PDB file of all heavy atoms in Angstrom:
ATOM      1  N   ILE L 448     123.323 125.051 157.915  1.00  0.00           N
ATOM      2  CA  ILE L 448     123.301 125.568 156.543  1.00  0.00           C
ATOM      3  C   ILE L 448     123.660 124.449 155.569  1.00  0.00           C
ATOM      4  O   ILE L 448     122.975 124.240 154.564  1.00  0.00           O
ATOM      5  CB  ILE L 448     124.234 126.784 156.390  1.00  0.00           C
ATOM      6  CG1 ILE L 448     123.692 127.970 157.179  1.00  0.00           C
ATOM      7  CG2 ILE L 448     124.405 127.150 154.913  1.00  0.00           C
ATOM      8  CD1 ILE L 448     124.659 129.140 157.301  1.00  0.00           C
ATOM      9  N   ALA L 449     124.732 123.713 155.860  1.00  0.00           N
ATOM     10  CA  ALA L 449     125.160 122.618 154.979  1.00  0.00           C
ATOM     11  C   ALA L 449     124.084 121.537 154.863  1.00  0.00           C
ATOM     12  O   ALA L 449     123.864 120.997 153.777  1.00  0.00           O
ATOM     13  CB  ALA L 449     126.474 122.013 155.475  1.00  0.00           C
ATOM     14  N   GLN L 450     123.407 121.247 155.960  1.00  0.00           N
ATOM     15  CA  GLN L 450     122.322 120.251 155.919  1.00  0.00           C
ATOM     16  C   GLN L 450     121.226 120.680 154.951  1.00  0.00           C
ATOM     17  O   GLN L 450     120.738 119.881 154.165  1.00  0.00           O
ATOM     18  CB  GLN L 450     121.726 120.041 157.314  1.00  0.00           C
ATOM     19  CG  GLN L 450     122.611 119.256 158.241  1.00  0.00           C
ATOM     20  CD  GLN L 450     122.097 119.252 159.679  1.00  0.00           C
ATOM     21  OE1 GLN L 450     121.524 120.228 160.157  1.00  0.00           O
ATOM     22  NE2 GLN L 450     122.321 118.144 160.362  1.00  0.00           N
ATOM     23  N   HIS L 451     120.862 121.946 155.015  1.00  0.00           N
ATOM     24  CA  HIS L 451     119.785 122.452 154.167  1.00  0.00           C
ATOM     25  C   HIS L 451     120.231 122.678 152.730  1.00  0.00           C
ATOM     26  O   HIS L 451     119.442 122.489 151.801  1.00  0.00           O
ATOM     27  CB  HIS L 451     119.199 123.729 154.752  1.00  0.00           C
ATOM     28  CG  HIS L 451     118.324 123.474 155.937  1.00  0.00           C
ATOM     29  ND1 HIS L 451     117.004 123.127 155.836  1.00  0.00           N
ATOM     30  CD2 HIS L 451     118.603 123.472 157.260  1.00  0.00           C
ATOM     31  CE1 HIS L 451     116.489 122.942 157.029  1.00  0.00           C
ATOM     32  NE2 HIS L 451     117.451 123.144 157.923  1.00  0.00           N
ATOM     33  N   GLU L 452     121.462 123.088 152.533  1.00  0.00           N
ATOM     34  CA  GLU L 452     121.939 123.413 151.191  1.00  0.00           C
ATOM     35  C   GLU L 452     122.259 122.163 150.364  1.00  0.00           C
ATOM     36  O   GLU L 452     121.946 122.106 149.185  1.00  0.00           O
ATOM     37  CB  GLU L 452     123.179 124.313 151.260  1.00  0.00           C
ATOM     38  CG  GLU L 452     122.903 125.710 151.797  1.00  0.00           C
ATOM     39  CD  GLU L 452     122.100 126.587 150.855  1.00  0.00           C
ATOM     40  OE1 GLU L 452     122.092 126.330 149.634  1.00  0.00           O
ATOM     41  OE2 GLU L 452     121.468 127.543 151.351  1.00  0.00           O
ATOM     42  N   SER L 453     122.906 121.155 150.966  1.00  0.00           N
ATOM     43  CA  SER L 453     123.402 120.016 150.181  1.00  0.00           C
ATOM     44  C   SER L 453     123.107 118.660 150.803  1.00  0.00           C
ATOM     45  O   SER L 453     123.598 117.651 150.291  1.00  0.00           O
ATOM     46  CB  SER L 453     124.918 120.136 150.016  1.00  0.00           C
ATOM     47  OG  SER L 453     125.567 119.915 151.266  1.00  0.00           O
ATOM     48  N   SER L 454     122.382 118.617 151.893  1.00  0.00           N
ATOM     49  CA  SER L 454     122.190 117.377 152.648  1.00  0.00           C
ATOM     50  C   SER L 454     123.540 116.785 153.058  1.00  0.00           C
ATOM     51  O   SER L 454     123.719 115.577 153.088  1.00  0.00           O
ATOM     52  CB  SER L 454     121.371 116.359 151.852  1.00  0.00           C
ATOM     53  OG  SER L 454     120.094 116.867 151.566  1.00  0.00           O
ATOM     54  N   LEU L 455     124.497 117.660 153.325  1.00  0.00           N
ATOM     55  CA  LEU L 455     125.858 117.318 153.760  1.00  0.00           C
ATOM     56  C   LEU L 455     126.657 116.574 152.687  1.00  0.00           C
ATOM     57  O   LEU L 455     127.597 115.858 152.999  1.00  0.00           O
ATOM     58  CB  LEU L 455     125.842 116.518 155.070  1.00  0.00           C
ATOM     59  CG  LEU L 455     125.102 117.168 156.238  1.00  0.00           C
ATOM     60  CD1 LEU L 455     125.132 116.247 157.464  1.00  0.00           C
ATOM     61  CD2 LEU L 455     125.682 118.531 156.577  1.00  0.00           C
ATOM     62  N   ASN L 456     126.313 116.785 151.436  1.00  0.00           N
ATOM     63  CA  ASN L 456     126.995 116.124 150.317  1.00  0.00           C
ATOM     64  C   ASN L 456     127.980 117.094 149.660  1.00  0.00           C
ATOM     65  O   ASN L 456     127.576 118.032 148.980  1.00  0.00           O
ATOM     66  CB  ASN L 456     125.969 115.649 149.284  1.00  0.00           C
ATOM     67  CG  ASN L 456     126.607 114.959 148.105  1.00  0.00           C
ATOM     68  OD1 ASN L 456     127.827 114.829 148.009  1.00  0.00           O
ATOM     69  ND2 ASN L 456     125.782 114.523 147.180  1.00  0.00           N
ATOM     70  N   PRO L 457     129.288 116.878 149.835  1.00  0.00           N
ATOM     71  CA  PRO L 457     130.279 117.784 149.251  1.00  0.00           C
ATOM     72  C   PRO L 457     130.307 117.751 147.721  1.00  0.00           C
ATOM     73  O   PRO L 457     130.895 118.624 147.100  1.00  0.00           O
ATOM     74  CB  PRO L 457     131.613 117.302 149.808  1.00  0.00           C
ATOM     75  CG  PRO L 457     131.331 116.202 150.732  1.00  0.00           C
ATOM     76  CD  PRO L 457     129.899 115.829 150.637  1.00  0.00           C
ATOM     77  N   ALA L 458     129.674 116.768 147.110  1.00  0.00           N
ATOM     78  CA  ALA L 458     129.660 116.669 145.644  1.00  0.00           C
ATOM     79  C   ALA L 458     128.339 117.158 145.045  1.00  0.00           C
ATOM     80  O   ALA L 458     128.104 116.984 143.851  1.00  0.00           O
ATOM     81  CB  ALA L 458     129.904 115.222 145.226  1.00  0.00           C
ATOM     82  N   ALA L 459     127.495 117.790 145.846  1.00  0.00           N
ATOM     83  CA  ALA L 459     126.193 118.234 145.360  1.00  0.00           C
ATOM     84  C   ALA L 459     126.342 119.264 144.245  1.00  0.00           C
ATOM     85  O   ALA L 459     127.181 120.158 144.314  1.00  0.00           O
ATOM     86  CB  ALA L 459     125.382 118.818 146.514  1.00  0.00           C
ATOM     87  N   ALA L 460     125.521 119.110 143.213  1.00  0.00           N
ATOM     88  CA  ALA L 460     125.456 120.053 142.091  1.00  0.00           C
ATOM     89  C   ALA L 460     123.981 120.279 141.792  1.00  0.00           C
ATOM     90  O   ALA L 460     123.263 119.345 141.453  1.00  0.00           O
ATOM     91  CB  ALA L 460     126.174 119.489 140.872  1.00  0.00           C
ATOM     92  N   ASN L 461     123.512 121.514 141.916  1.00  0.00           N
ATOM     93  CA  ASN L 461     122.102 121.820 141.760  1.00  0.00           C
ATOM     94  C   ASN L 461     121.830 122.426 140.390  1.00  0.00           C
ATOM     95  O   ASN L 461     121.757 123.642 140.228  1.00  0.00           O
ATOM     96  CB  ASN L 461     121.635 122.753 142.873  1.00  0.00           C
ATOM     97  CG  ASN L 461     120.141 122.905 142.916  1.00  0.00           C
ATOM     98  OD1 ASN L 461     119.434 122.580 141.967  1.00  0.00           O
ATOM     99  ND2 ASN L 461     119.653 123.413 144.033  1.00  0.00           N
ATOM    100  N   LEU L 462     121.673 121.558 139.394  1.00  0.00           N
ATOM    101  CA  LEU L 462     121.406 122.018 138.029  1.00  0.00           C
ATOM    102  C   LEU L 462     120.049 122.694 137.906  1.00  0.00           C
ATOM    103  O   LEU L 462     119.890 123.622 137.114  1.00  0.00           O
ATOM    104  CB  LEU L 462     121.489 120.842 137.055  1.00  0.00           C
ATOM    105  CG  LEU L 462     122.883 120.297 136.808  1.00  0.00           C
ATOM    106  CD1 LEU L 462     122.814 119.002 136.015  1.00  0.00           C
ATOM    107  CD2 LEU L 462     123.737 121.318 136.084  1.00  0.00           C
ATOM    108  N   LYS L 463     119.072 122.251 138.681  1.00  0.00           N
ATOM    109  CA  LYS L 463     117.736 122.855 138.603  1.00  0.00           C
ATOM    110  C   LYS L 463     117.763 124.311 139.038  1.00  0.00           C
ATOM    111  O   LYS L 463     117.085 125.143 138.454  1.00  0.00           O
ATOM    112  CB  LYS L 463     116.740 122.071 139.447  1.00  0.00           C
ATOM    113  CG  LYS L 463     116.396 120.722 138.866  1.00  0.00           C
ATOM    114  CD  LYS L 463     115.386 119.993 139.719  1.00  0.00           C
ATOM    115  CE  LYS L 463     115.113 118.618 139.140  1.00  0.00           C
ATOM    116  NZ  LYS L 463     114.164 117.858 139.950  1.00  0.00           N
ATOM    117  N   ALA L 464     118.528 124.626 140.071  1.00  0.00           N
ATOM    118  CA  ALA L 464     118.574 125.999 140.578  1.00  0.00           C
ATOM    119  C   ALA L 464     119.173 126.961 139.571  1.00  0.00           C
ATOM    120  O   ALA L 464     118.850 128.152 139.581  1.00  0.00           O
ATOM    121  CB  ALA L 464     119.372 126.058 141.881  1.00  0.00           C
ATOM    122  N   SER L 465     120.024 126.456 138.699  1.00  0.00           N
ATOM    123  CA  SER L 465     120.698 127.333 137.739  1.00  0.00           C
ATOM    124  C   SER L 465     119.923 127.481 136.441  1.00  0.00           C
ATOM    125  O   SER L 465     120.320 128.246 135.573  1.00  0.00           O
ATOM    126  CB  SER L 465     122.102 126.806 137.435  1.00  0.00           C
ATOM    127  OG  SER L 465     122.010 125.583 136.724  1.00  0.00           O
ATOM    128  N   GLY L 466     118.843 126.723 136.287  1.00  0.00           N
ATOM    129  CA  GLY L 466     118.084 126.786 135.044  1.00  0.00           C
ATOM    130  C   GLY L 466     118.916 126.375 133.845  1.00  0.00           C
ATOM    131  O   GLY L 466     118.683 126.833 132.727  1.00  0.00           O
ATOM    132  N   GLY L 467     119.904 125.520 134.064  1.00  0.00           N
ATOM    133  CA  GLY L 467     120.753 125.051 132.980  1.00  0.00           C
ATOM    134  C   GLY L 467     121.956 125.938 132.701  1.00  0.00           C
ATOM    135  O   GLY L 467     122.779 125.613 131.861  1.00  0.00           O
ATOM    136  N   ASN L 468     122.072 127.061 133.391  1.00  0.00           N
ATOM    137  CA  ASN L 468     123.217 127.956 133.210  1.00  0.00           C
ATOM    138  C   ASN L 468     124.359 127.426 134.068  1.00  0.00           C
ATOM    139  O   ASN L 468     124.358 127.560 135.288  1.00  0.00           O
ATOM    140  CB  ASN L 468     122.860 129.382 133.610  1.00  0.00           C
ATOM    141  CG  ASN L 468     123.985 130.357 133.366  1.00  0.00           C
ATOM    142  OD1 ASN L 468     125.153 129.983 133.293  1.00  0.00           O
ATOM    143  ND2 ASN L 468     123.634 131.625 133.251  1.00  0.00           N
ATOM    144  N   LEU L 469     125.342 126.827 133.417  1.00  0.00           N
ATOM    145  CA  LEU L 469     126.408 126.136 134.145  1.00  0.00           C
ATOM    146  C   LEU L 469     127.235 127.053 135.031  1.00  0.00           C
ATOM    147  O   LEU L 469     127.711 126.636 136.075  1.00  0.00           O
ATOM    148  CB  LEU L 469     127.288 125.389 133.158  1.00  0.00           C
ATOM    149  CG  LEU L 469     126.545 124.319 132.349  1.00  0.00           C
ATOM    150  CD1 LEU L 469     127.463 123.684 131.333  1.00  0.00           C
ATOM    151  CD2 LEU L 469     125.947 123.270 133.259  1.00  0.00           C
ATOM    152  N   ALA L 470     127.410 128.306 134.631  1.00  0.00           N
ATOM    153  CA  ALA L 470     128.192 129.234 135.450  1.00  0.00           C
ATOM    154  C   ALA L 470     127.449 129.611 136.725  1.00  0.00           C
ATOM    155  O   ALA L 470     128.037 130.173 137.638  1.00  0.00           O
ATOM    156  CB  ALA L 470     128.528 130.491 134.655  1.00  0.00           C
ATOM    157  N   LYS L 471     126.157 129.298 136.778  1.00  0.00           N
ATOM    158  CA  LYS L 471     125.347 129.638 137.950  1.00  0.00           C
ATOM    159  C   LYS L 471     124.857 128.392 138.683  1.00  0.00           C
ATOM    160  O   LYS L 471     123.887 128.442 139.423  1.00  0.00           O
ATOM    161  CB  LYS L 471     124.170 130.513 137.526  1.00  0.00           C
ATOM    162  CG  LYS L 471     124.616 131.864 137.016  1.00  0.00           C
ATOM    163  CD  LYS L 471     123.459 132.755 136.680  1.00  0.00           C
ATOM    164  CE  LYS L 471     123.986 134.102 136.217  1.00  0.00           C
ATOM    165  NZ  LYS L 471     122.910 135.008 135.871  1.00  0.00           N
ATOM    166  N   THR L 472     125.548 127.278 138.497  1.00  0.00           N
ATOM    167  CA  THR L 472     125.170 126.034 139.171  1.00  0.00           C
ATOM    168  C   THR L 472     125.798 125.996 140.559  1.00  0.00           C
ATOM    169  O   THR L 472     127.024 125.965 140.688  1.00  0.00           O
ATOM    170  CB  THR L 472     125.636 124.813 138.349  1.00  0.00           C
ATOM    171  OG1 THR L 472     124.990 124.848 137.079  1.00  0.00           O
ATOM    172  CG2 THR L 472     125.295 123.509 139.060  1.00  0.00           C
ATOM    173  N   PRO L 473     124.983 126.002 141.612  1.00  0.00           N
ATOM    174  CA  PRO L 473     125.529 125.872 142.964  1.00  0.00           C
ATOM    175  C   PRO L 473     126.195 124.510 143.135  1.00  0.00           C
ATOM    176  O   PRO L 473     125.644 123.496 142.730  1.00  0.00           O
ATOM    177  CB  PRO L 473     124.290 125.994 143.862  1.00  0.00           C
ATOM    178  CG  PRO L 473     123.255 126.664 143.013  1.00  0.00           C
ATOM    179  CD  PRO L 473     123.533 126.199 141.613  1.00  0.00           C
ATOM    180  N   LEU L 474     127.393 124.527 143.749  1.00  0.00           N
ATOM    181  CA  LEU L 474     128.184 123.307 143.891  1.00  0.00           C
ATOM    182  C   LEU L 474     128.687 123.131 145.313  1.00  0.00           C
ATOM    183  O   LEU L 474     128.955 124.097 146.025  1.00  0.00           O
ATOM    184  CB  LEU L 474     129.401 123.354 142.960  1.00  0.00           C
ATOM    185  CG  LEU L 474     129.147 123.380 141.464  1.00  0.00           C
ATOM    186  CD1 LEU L 474     130.436 123.683 140.709  1.00  0.00           C
ATOM    187  CD2 LEU L 474     128.567 122.061 141.004  1.00  0.00           C
ATOM    188  N   GLY L 475     128.845 121.876 145.680  1.00  0.00           N
ATOM    189  CA  GLY L 475     129.539 121.537 146.914  1.00  0.00           C
ATOM    190  C   GLY L 475     128.684 121.575 148.160  1.00  0.00           C
ATOM    191  O   GLY L 475     127.468 121.783 148.119  1.00  0.00           O
ATOM    192  N   LEU L 476     129.345 121.358 149.265  1.00  0.00           N
ATOM    193  CA  LEU L 476     128.721 121.250 150.577  1.00  0.00           C
ATOM    194  C   LEU L 476     127.842 122.453 150.908  1.00  0.00           C
ATOM    195  O   LEU L 476     126.729 122.306 151.396  1.00  0.00           O
ATOM    196  CB  LEU L 476     129.819 121.098 151.637  1.00  0.00           C
ATOM    197  CG  LEU L 476     129.391 120.798 153.049  1.00  0.00           C
ATOM    198  CD1 LEU L 476     128.739 119.423 153.129  1.00  0.00           C
ATOM    199  CD2 LEU L 476     130.599 120.851 153.968  1.00  0.00           C
ATOM    200  N   MET L 477     128.331 123.649 150.626  1.00  0.00           N
ATOM    201  CA  MET L 477     127.606 124.873 150.957  1.00  0.00           C
ATOM    202  C   MET L 477     126.897 125.470 149.744  1.00  0.00           C
ATOM    203  O   MET L 477     126.393 126.587 149.809  1.00  0.00           O
ATOM    204  CB  MET L 477     128.571 125.886 151.583  1.00  0.00           C
ATOM    205  CG  MET L 477     129.227 125.399 152.863  1.00  0.00           C
ATOM    206  SD  MET L 477     128.087 125.102 154.231  1.00  0.00           S
ATOM    207  CE  MET L 477     127.883 126.763 154.842  1.00  0.00           C
ATOM    208  N   GLN L 478     126.862 124.722 148.625  1.00  0.00           N
ATOM    209  CA  GLN L 478     126.163 125.132 147.406  1.00  0.00           C
ATOM    210  C   GLN L 478     126.562 126.541 146.960  1.00  0.00           C
ATOM    211  O   GLN L 478     125.744 127.442 146.826  1.00  0.00           O
ATOM    212  CB  GLN L 478     124.652 125.023 147.592  1.00  0.00           C
ATOM    213  CG  GLN L 478     124.176 123.588 147.642  1.00  0.00           C
ATOM    214  CD  GLN L 478     124.350 122.877 146.311  1.00  0.00           C
ATOM    215  OE1 GLN L 478     123.520 123.012 145.441  1.00  0.00           O
ATOM    216  NE2 GLN L 478     125.439 122.143 146.142  1.00  0.00           N
ATOM    217  N   MET L 479     127.846 126.696 146.711  1.00  0.00           N
ATOM    218  CA  MET L 479     128.383 127.986 146.284  1.00  0.00           C
ATOM    219  C   MET L 479     128.370 128.087 144.767  1.00  0.00           C
ATOM    220  O   MET L 479     128.661 127.120 144.068  1.00  0.00           O
ATOM    221  CB  MET L 479     129.811 128.158 146.803  1.00  0.00           C
ATOM    222  CG  MET L 479     129.884 128.182 148.313  1.00  0.00           C
ATOM    223  SD  MET L 479     131.426 128.867 148.910  1.00  0.00           S
ATOM    224  CE  MET L 479     131.142 130.603 148.585  1.00  0.00           C
ATOM    225  N   LEU L 480     128.065 129.271 144.278  1.00  0.00           N
ATOM    226  CA  LEU L 480     128.220 129.543 142.856  1.00  0.00           C
ATOM    227  C   LEU L 480     129.715 129.587 142.553  1.00  0.00           C
ATOM    228  O   LEU L 480     130.502 130.069 143.380  1.00  0.00           O
ATOM    229  CB  LEU L 480     127.582 130.879 142.490  1.00  0.00           C
ATOM    230  CG  LEU L 480     126.078 130.976 142.693  1.00  0.00           C
ATOM    231  CD1 LEU L 480     125.604 132.400 142.445  1.00  0.00           C
ATOM    232  CD2 LEU L 480     125.362 130.009 141.773  1.00  0.00           C
ATOM    233  N   PRO L 481     130.133 129.124 141.383  1.00  0.00           N
ATOM    234  CA  PRO L 481     131.559 129.178 141.056  1.00  0.00           C
ATOM    235  C   PRO L 481     132.153 130.580 141.181  1.00  0.00           C
ATOM    236  O   PRO L 481     133.268 130.740 141.673  1.00  0.00           O
ATOM    237  CB  PRO L 481     131.614 128.666 139.620  1.00  0.00           C
ATOM    238  CG  PRO L 481     130.443 127.732 139.524  1.00  0.00           C
ATOM    239  CD  PRO L 481     129.368 128.385 140.362  1.00  0.00           C
ATOM    240  N   SER L 482     131.414 131.597 140.788  1.00  0.00           N
ATOM    241  CA  SER L 482     131.935 132.968 140.875  1.00  0.00           C
ATOM    242  C   SER L 482     132.088 133.415 142.329  1.00  0.00           C
ATOM    243  O   SER L 482     133.065 134.085 142.673  1.00  0.00           O
ATOM    244  CB  SER L 482     131.025 133.938 140.116  1.00  0.00           C
ATOM    245  OG  SER L 482     129.705 133.896 140.647  1.00  0.00           O
ATOM    246  N   THR L 483     131.149 133.053 143.182  1.00  0.00           N
ATOM    247  CA  THR L 483     131.238 133.411 144.600  1.00  0.00           C
ATOM    248  C   THR L 483     132.376 132.647 145.262  1.00  0.00           C
ATOM    249  O   THR L 483     133.144 133.210 146.046  1.00  0.00           O
ATOM    250  CB  THR L 483     129.904 133.115 145.321  1.00  0.00           C
ATOM    251  OG1 THR L 483     128.856 133.796 144.638  1.00  0.00           O
ATOM    252  CG2 THR L 483     129.943 133.558 146.772  1.00  0.00           C
ATOM    253  N   PHE L 484     132.499 131.375 144.924  1.00  0.00           N
ATOM    254  CA  PHE L 484     133.607 130.587 145.452  1.00  0.00           C
ATOM    255  C   PHE L 484     134.946 131.213 145.044  1.00  0.00           C
ATOM    256  O   PHE L 484     135.838 131.377 145.877  1.00  0.00           O
ATOM    257  CB  PHE L 484     133.526 129.147 144.961  1.00  0.00           C
ATOM    258  CG  PHE L 484     134.661 128.288 145.445  1.00  0.00           C
ATOM    259  CD1 PHE L 484     134.641 127.741 146.716  1.00  0.00           C
ATOM    260  CD2 PHE L 484     135.762 128.049 144.642  1.00  0.00           C
ATOM    261  CE1 PHE L 484     135.702 126.962 147.174  1.00  0.00           C
ATOM    262  CE2 PHE L 484     136.818 127.273 145.086  1.00  0.00           C
ATOM    263  CZ  PHE L 484     136.786 126.728 146.359  1.00  0.00           C
ATOM    264  N   ALA L 485     135.080 131.575 143.776  1.00  0.00           N
ATOM    265  CA  ALA L 485     136.331 132.170 143.281  1.00  0.00           C
ATOM    266  C   ALA L 485     136.660 133.457 144.032  1.00  0.00           C
ATOM    267  O   ALA L 485     137.828 133.721 144.335  1.00  0.00           O
ATOM    268  CB  ALA L 485     136.232 132.434 141.784  1.00  0.00           C
ATOM    269  N   ALA L 486     135.647 134.239 144.348  1.00  0.00           N
ATOM    270  CA  ALA L 486     135.867 135.510 145.043  1.00  0.00           C
ATOM    271  C   ALA L 486     136.238 135.324 146.514  1.00  0.00           C
ATOM    272  O   ALA L 486     136.864 136.204 147.107  1.00  0.00           O
ATOM    273  CB  ALA L 486     134.615 136.381 144.930  1.00  0.00           C
ATOM    274  N   HIS L 487     135.865 134.186 147.103  1.00  0.00           N
ATOM    275  CA  HIS L 487     136.056 134.005 148.543  1.00  0.00           C
ATOM    276  C   HIS L 487     136.985 132.857 148.931  1.00  0.00           C
ATOM    277  O   HIS L 487     137.261 132.675 150.122  1.00  0.00           O
ATOM    278  CB  HIS L 487     134.691 133.826 149.222  1.00  0.00           C
ATOM    279  CG  HIS L 487     133.858 135.061 149.161  1.00  0.00           C
ATOM    280  ND1 HIS L 487     133.981 136.089 150.063  1.00  0.00           N
ATOM    281  CD2 HIS L 487     132.915 135.456 148.266  1.00  0.00           C
ATOM    282  CE1 HIS L 487     133.142 137.052 149.748  1.00  0.00           C
ATOM    283  NE2 HIS L 487     132.481 136.694 148.654  1.00  0.00           N
ATOM    284  N   ALA L 488     137.455 132.080 147.972  1.00  0.00           N
ATOM    285  CA  ALA L 488     138.353 130.958 148.285  1.00  0.00           C
ATOM    286  C   ALA L 488     139.700 131.474 148.778  1.00  0.00           C
ATOM    287  O   ALA L 488     140.188 132.507 148.322  1.00  0.00           O
ATOM    288  CB  ALA L 488     138.549 130.076 147.056  1.00  0.00           C
ATOM    289  N   GLN L 489     140.283 130.752 149.703  1.00  0.00           N
ATOM    290  CA  GLN L 489     141.608 131.101 150.185  1.00  0.00           C
ATOM    291  C   GLN L 489     142.641 130.753 149.117  1.00  0.00           C
ATOM    292  O   GLN L 489     142.461 129.772 148.375  1.00  0.00           O
ATOM    293  CB  GLN L 489     141.926 130.339 151.469  1.00  0.00           C
ATOM    294  CG  GLN L 489     141.071 130.752 152.642  1.00  0.00           C
ATOM    295  CD  GLN L 489     141.412 129.970 153.905  1.00  0.00           C
ATOM    296  OE1 GLN L 489     141.887 128.838 153.854  1.00  0.00           O
ATOM    297  NE2 GLN L 489     141.155 130.573 155.056  1.00  0.00           N
ATOM    298  N   PRO L 490     143.724 131.523 149.026  1.00  0.00           N
ATOM    299  CA  PRO L 490     144.777 131.209 148.050  1.00  0.00           C
ATOM    300  C   PRO L 490     145.269 129.771 148.226  1.00  0.00           C
ATOM    301  O   PRO L 490     145.493 129.312 149.343  1.00  0.00           O
ATOM    302  CB  PRO L 490     145.890 132.211 148.384  1.00  0.00           C
ATOM    303  CG  PRO L 490     145.179 133.344 149.062  1.00  0.00           C
ATOM    304  CD  PRO L 490     144.030 132.713 149.820  1.00  0.00           C
ATOM    305  N   GLY L 491     145.363 129.057 147.111  1.00  0.00           N
ATOM    306  CA  GLY L 491     145.814 127.676 147.139  1.00  0.00           C
ATOM    307  C   GLY L 491     144.754 126.692 147.599  1.00  0.00           C
ATOM    308  O   GLY L 491     145.028 125.515 147.766  1.00  0.00           O
ATOM    309  N   ARG L 492     143.548 127.159 147.827  1.00  0.00           N
ATOM    310  CA  ARG L 492     142.440 126.314 148.314  1.00  0.00           C
ATOM    311  C   ARG L 492     141.278 126.424 147.329  1.00  0.00           C
ATOM    312  O   ARG L 492     140.186 126.825 147.684  1.00  0.00           O
ATOM    313  CB  ARG L 492     141.964 126.750 149.694  1.00  0.00           C
ATOM    314  CG  ARG L 492     143.046 126.873 150.733  1.00  0.00           C
ATOM    315  CD  ARG L 492     143.411 125.536 151.289  1.00  0.00           C
ATOM    316  NE  ARG L 492     144.388 125.708 152.379  1.00  0.00           N
ATOM    317  CZ  ARG L 492     144.909 124.718 152.998  1.00  0.00           C
ATOM    318  NH1 ARG L 492     144.595 123.486 152.700  1.00  0.00           N
ATOM    319  NH2 ARG L 492     145.786 124.922 153.945  1.00  0.00           N
ATOM    320  N   GLY L 493     141.523 126.053 146.073  1.00  0.00           N
ATOM    321  CA  GLY L 493     140.570 126.322 145.013  1.00  0.00           C
ATOM    322  C   GLY L 493     139.741 125.167 144.523  1.00  0.00           C
ATOM    323  O   GLY L 493     139.278 125.191 143.396  1.00  0.00           O
ATOM    324  N   ASN L 494     139.511 124.147 145.338  1.00  0.00           N
ATOM    325  CA  ASN L 494     138.699 123.018 144.893  1.00  0.00           C
ATOM    326  C   ASN L 494     137.296 123.171 145.465  1.00  0.00           C
ATOM    327  O   ASN L 494     137.040 122.880 146.621  1.00  0.00           O
ATOM    328  CB  ASN L 494     139.327 121.705 145.355  1.00  0.00           C
ATOM    329  CG  ASN L 494     138.575 120.493 144.845  1.00  0.00           C
ATOM    330  OD1 ASN L 494     137.446 120.581 144.381  1.00  0.00           O
ATOM    331  ND2 ASN L 494     139.214 119.342 144.944  1.00  0.00           N
TER     332      ASN L 494
END
């Protein structure tokens, strides 16, 4: 999944997928939306 989502790049940011909507920009290794990440991140593990 990580290979396909970000090419294994933990700093990946997919601006094209969000159509310029920053709140919907997939980020990171697994290309998570900020809202999805916030809902599923472990306490104290918010980066």
Side-chain angles (χ1 to χ4, degrees):
I448 292 170
Q450 286 171 326
H451 285 276
E452 292 290 337
S453 70
S454 299
L455 305 178
N456 180 359
N461 191 343
L462 289 171
K463 289 181 183 179
S465 68
N468 183 337
L469 299 176
K471 294 184 178 180
T472 299
L474 296 170
L476 187 66
M477 300 296 279
Q478 289 293 277
M479 297 197 75
L480 297 173
S482 59
T483 305
F484 179 81
H487 293 276
Q489 293 180 333
R492 308 280 185 183
N494 184 345

